[in-house]
Amino acid sequence: MKLSYFPGCSLSSTAKEYDMSAKAVCNALGVELVELKDWVCCGATSAHSTNHKLSIALPSRNLALAQESGMDLAVPCSACYSRVKKADYTMRNNEKMRGEIERIVEFKYNGSINVYSLIEAMVSKIGVDAIAKSVNKPLKGLKLVCYYGCLLVRPPEVTCFDDTENPVSLDNVMKAVGAEVIPWSYKTDCCGANLGLTSSSVVQGMVGRLLDAAKEAGAMAIVTACPLCQSNLEMRRKERNTELPAFYFTELVGMALDLPDCNKWFNLHLVNPKPLLQSLSLAG
Amino acid sequence: MQFIDSEKKNFFNEVREKSGQPIELCYQCQKCASGCIATEYADYFPNEILRLVQFGQKDRVLGCSSIWICSSCETCGARCPNGINIAEVMDALKEMSIREGKVKEKNINLFHNVFLGSVKTFGRVHESSMMAIYKLKSGDLMSDLDVGLEMFKKGKMPLLPHRIKAKGKLKHIFFSTNGHGPLNKNEKH
Ligand code: SF4
Ligand code: SF4
């Protein structure tokens, strides 16, 4: 099966390991991710904060490219996903805006493709059972909390995915690869998103709250599905020691499938996850 | 909503229209505020913003910090019993605050401009140059240098930007959406 793929700006810089692990894991599970040719930045928070029309037009350019490819679109970054999904929702439901955006972006929207977050694409197109069946090296002893962040499940009328207050997709995937998933009540609390660069003390407070809760729940690590969440959890902690590393879910699936490149991904982390993995005899 | 003062009425109506949200329905249950983590670090909780808009308090709202510190996490909107998407209200207020020259969190707005400047130039964000420009313009030179350096060493901060090919389309998108956005006013298509 093939899906078109919009990696977004973070995945070619600060979140390279997410891009590499996403491609490797999907490939191993029989899904080829075909990168949109010449994709543009979704505009992120900066566009929707300052110019509403631009915030719909930029991601619509990627919708146009995906439509041209004829394949459903998978988006690994939650922030990019949110912008593309919002644009798709607007094009589907707001006729006036659709006409305007079609003129600006110079294409005809036909609603023929679906936009998925990568985690949604994996659970709906591959399936949790198929993932479980491909496991070669279960992640025994790894106690995790699953952190979904904001935009995978909100706003619910736009994302139409999983439960808004208590999502379970990541939990299910992590259980399928043999990890021990610990319940906690911070699954969808905000990490501070892009405020990290301009108001780092705010984000330090928000991240501190999450890390304290994860520790209190008894987790050894946090698993995420978003480059902003992951980098805030690593960068905005008070002391950057090796406690509670933050993983991308694709890295952990890759490790359980025993893919050869895991160490390359882990070397790119700011918080080294290897001491934890070695202590559980999961990594060499 | 009833207003005696027409200026207050106009402000309320504009926010309502721009955001597309039924602001008049807010009855101050505070469900939004109880789940909002970001505005704890700012001046007003989301329910207070809604009330101020209902009362036509233009200057207080457009000049406040909360509309910028709001991280658009969408928690409040998902929970509001009256179906008010407050993040949309916050976005509308930010646009109006820029237009009226009332931006309180200047660095956050500066960041947005520098970010979109990078997108406009390359079609994608080039983190190294974007951060350098932001730092020079904001005067905040020292923060995050250590992380930046570490990212650079790990090859996560490419020195050269990637430029997309469809430059004409990109230019057209920026040009045709320019309300009071990142484009320079004199710029020609
Ligand atoms: S949750 Fe909705 S109705 Fe309640 S205070 Fe907030 S905006 Fe008003
Ligand atoms: S969207 Fe903004 S106002 Fe609403 S809960 Fe999140 S940070 Fe608070």
Side-chain angles (χ1 to χ4, degrees):
Chain A
M1 187 198 328
K2 283 183 177 185
L3 290 172
S4 58
Y5 177 68
F6 167 41
C9 304
S10 300
L11 272 78
S12 41
S13 57
T14 54
K16 271 187 170 172
E17 62 271 40
Y18 191 17
D19 185 53
M20 298 193 251
S21 55
K23 284 179 183 152
V25 162
C26 285
N27 201 19
L29 294 169
V31 173
E32 189 190 339
L33 298 176
V34 186
E35 188 164 326
L36 289 181
K37 278 204 186 86
D38 212 35
W39 54 266
V40 296
C41 169
C42 69
T45 313
S46 296
H48 78 71
S49 294
T50 58
N51 185 335
H52 179 66
K53 217 178 276 172
L54 180 67
S55 81
I56 304 292
L58 279 172
S60 291
R61 166 73 183 148
N62 296 327
L63 279 179
L65 296 173
Q67 190 176 293
E68 215 174 285
S69 80
M71 293 173 269
D72 283 345
L73 179 63
V75 190
C77 166
S78 297
C80 297
Y81 159 72
S82 167
R83 297 324 307 166
V84 182
K85 191 77 181 174
K86 180 71 192 279
D88 189 58
Y89 180 82
T90 307
M91 298 299 271
R92 251 174 235 276
N93 299 297
N94 182 338
E95 221 173 295
K96 187 169 162 260
M97 194 71 165
R98 179 169 67 231
E100 210 171 327
I101 297 292
E102 282 180 340
R103 273 192 302 280
I104 294 172
V105 182
E106 300 167 308
F107 85 120
K108 199 99 200 111
Y109 175 83
N110 64 18
S112 58
I113 57 132
N114 295 307
V115 179
Y116 299 110
S117 62
L118 183 66
I119 178 76
E120 182 178 12
M122 284 175 64
V123 296
S124 68
K125 305 267 174 183
I126 299 167
V128 173
D129 290 344
I131 296 174
K133 279 195 195 114
S134 315
V135 168
N136 297 315
K137 205 177 81 181
L139 307 182
K140 257 210 194 102
L142 184 59
K143 293 186 183 174
L144 296 170
V145 285
C146 295
Y147 179 55
Y148 297 74
C150 305
L151 300 172
L152 276 182
V153 290
R154 286 191 301 259
E157 68 278 14
V158 174
T159 56
C160 300
F161 168 63
D162 213 330
D163 187 279
T164 317
E165 296 289 350
N166 185 22
V168 293
S169 329
L170 267 181
D171 296 51
N172 292 341
V173 171
M174 287 302 116
K175 283 179 201 159
V177 297
E180 187 181 328
V181 175
I182 304 182
W184 69 325
S185 42
Y186 292 71
K187 281 181 172 179
T188 61
D189 276 13
C190 182
C191 71
N194 81 332
L195 286 173
L197 298 165
T198 51
S199 324
S200 55
S201 61
V202 174
V203 177
Q204 234 175 48
M206 294 171 81
V207 164
R209 213 177 142 258
L210 295 170
L211 291 171
D212 289 348
K215 208 183 287 176
E216 198 184 313
M220 300 164 173
I222 305 185
V223 61
T224 68
C226 171
L228 275 177
C229 298
Q230 200 274 351
S231 69
N232 276 342
L233 286 169
E234 282 196 336
M235 270 168 73
R236 304 294 164 195
R237 50 176 74 193
K238 279 201 194 83
E239 275 169 68
R240 220 173 309 135
N241 52 25
T242 56
E243 234 177 52
L244 278 173
F247 290 100
Y248 293 106
F249 76 100
T250 45
E251 294 178 311
L252 294 180
V253 176
M255 196 161 70
L257 299 184
D258 208 10
L259 299 184
D261 286 340
C262 299
N263 270 328
K264 277 193 205 150
W265 312 330
F266 299 145
N267 284 338
L268 293 175
H269 284 228
L270 292 180
V271 171
N272 184 2
K274 281 194 247 167
L276 168 66
L277 299 174
Q278 280 155 358
S279 76
L280 298 168
S281 312
L282 291 170
Chain B
M1 302 272 308
Q2 300 265 321
F3 288 92
I4 295 172
D5 184 322
S6 65
E7 228 176 274
K8 290 182 177 154
K9 182 178 171 176
N10 292 344
F11 174 66
F12 171 82
N13 284 341
E14 188 184 354
V15 180
R16 197 187 182 288
E17 199 188 313
K18 235 178 160 357
S19 66
Q21 299 305 312
I23 297 168
E24 68 282 4
L25 295 184
C26 172
Y27 49 36
Q28 292 298 310
C29 69
Q30 303 187 15
K31 213 174 166 190
C32 50
S34 63
C36 178
I37 304 149
T39 57
E40 272 174 39
Y41 300 88
D43 41 12
Y44 295 117
F45 287 121
N47 64 301
E48 295 178 300
I49 298 281
L50 273 280
R51 188 55 124 204
L52 286 167
V53 174
Q54 286 177 340
F55 285 171
Q57 299 296 304
K58 183 172 169 179
D59 290 347
R60 285 170 78 184
V61 183
L62 297 188
C64 82
S65 158
S66 286
I67 56 176
W68 296 98
I69 297 291
C70 162
S71 60
S72 309
C73 75
E74 302 272 1
T75 307
C76 51
R79 291 178 183 168
C80 173
N82 290 313
I84 305 171
N85 183 322
I86 299 153
E88 298 275 0
V89 177
M90 298 291 201
D91 279 349
L93 292 170
K94 274 175 282 207
E95 281 197 36
M96 292 166 71
S97 162
I98 296 170
R99 187 190 67 204
E100 307 271 327
K102 295 221 156 48
V103 177
K104 170 122 183 238
E105 297 289 342
K106 299 223 160 41
N107 278 350
I108 298 182
N109 189 37
L110 170 68
F111 174 82
H112 293 326
N113 279 318
V114 174
F115 185 98
L116 290 176
S118 191
V119 180
K120 199 182 127 197
T121 312
F122 306 119
R124 297 182 188 172
V125 167
H126 179 236
E127 325 246 343
S128 322
S129 61
M130 176 199 57
M131 284 317 291
I133 296 171
Y134 171 72
K135 289 198 156 301
L136 285 174
K137 290 195 171 175
S138 65
D140 173 21
L141 292 173
M142 300 317 283
S143 67
D144 289 339
L145 282 186
D146 55 334
V147 215
L149 191 66
E150 212 172 317
M151 293 253 189
F152 178 74
K153 280 195 208 142
K154 289 184 185 285
K156 288 180 153 190
M157 286 277 190
L159 278 180
L160 292 175
H162 176 101
R163 287 169 195 274
I164 67 156
K165 296 198 185 75
K167 287 197 200 82
K169 280 205 186 288
L170 182 70
K171 222 173 164 188
H172 184 68
I173 290 176
F174 270 88
F175 181 81
S176 349
T177 53
N178 180 31
H180 34 80
L183 266 193
N184 184 334
K185 277 203 191 76
N186 312 320
E187 203 151 347
K188 287 274 163 350
H189 194 21

